[in-house]
Amino acid sequence: MRDNDQPGGGRPGRAAAPEPRSGFAAPGGGSPRTGTEPVTARSPLRLRLLLSAVFLPLFAAATAVLAVRAAHSGPGDSPGSGALSVLAVICGVLALAAALDLAVVTRRLRRAPGERSRRLMRGSGGRPDRLSG
């Protein structure tokens, strides 16, 4: 037996690397899956949709209320107009993040099932199709 015929790539005393359990490639097109998550794992898109739909109006309302209070705040009021303005900006950024997430999740849920299967095939040696978007 030659050195190259030994398990472990020709190095004596080293065991061969375990074979992957699945032929699916990693999402980035890297090596085959070796994790323990199921092949049929689903992302929590519907939960993200629910959370975005609930928090978008809450953060938008908080932004409006805080902005109005900051505008009508006089000198010596507590909290001051500066603190209320900062809170309004923070709530506005969170409302924007919720709106963007709502748009992304809606787009992903409306994606055609054929595009999902092409995306999966692309990582497992299938023809690399260019997806729209």
Side-chain angles (χ1 to χ4, degrees), residues 45 48-49 51-53 55-57 59-60 91-109:
L45 287 178
R48 282 177 56 190
L49 180 70
L51 290 174
S52 294
F55 283 106
L56 175 60
F59 284 130
C91 286
V93 168
L94 290 173
L96 179 64
L100 289 174
D101 193 46
L102 191 63
V104 167
V105 169
T106 303
R107 180 174 164 252
R108 287 184 182 175
L109 286 174

Side-chain angles (χ1 to χ4, degrees), residues 1-79:
M1 178 187 274
R2 295 185 321 223
D3 278 345
N4 291 343
D5 294 337
Q6 292 179 357
R11 295 183 187 158
R14 293 196 60 180
E19 289 294 320
R21 293 181 292 192
S22 172
F24 290 103
S31 62
R33 289 176 18 105
T34 58
T36 58
E37 75 276 358
V39 175
T40 58
R42 296 171 43 172
S43 67
L45 287 178
R46 299 220 185 265
L47 177 62
R48 282 177 56 190
L49 180 70
L50 175 69
L51 290 174
S52 294
V54 167
F55 283 106
L56 175 60
L58 287 176
F59 284 130
T63 301
V65 167
L66 290 169
V68 167
R69 285 202 55 198
H72 294 296
S73 170
D77 284 348
S78 180

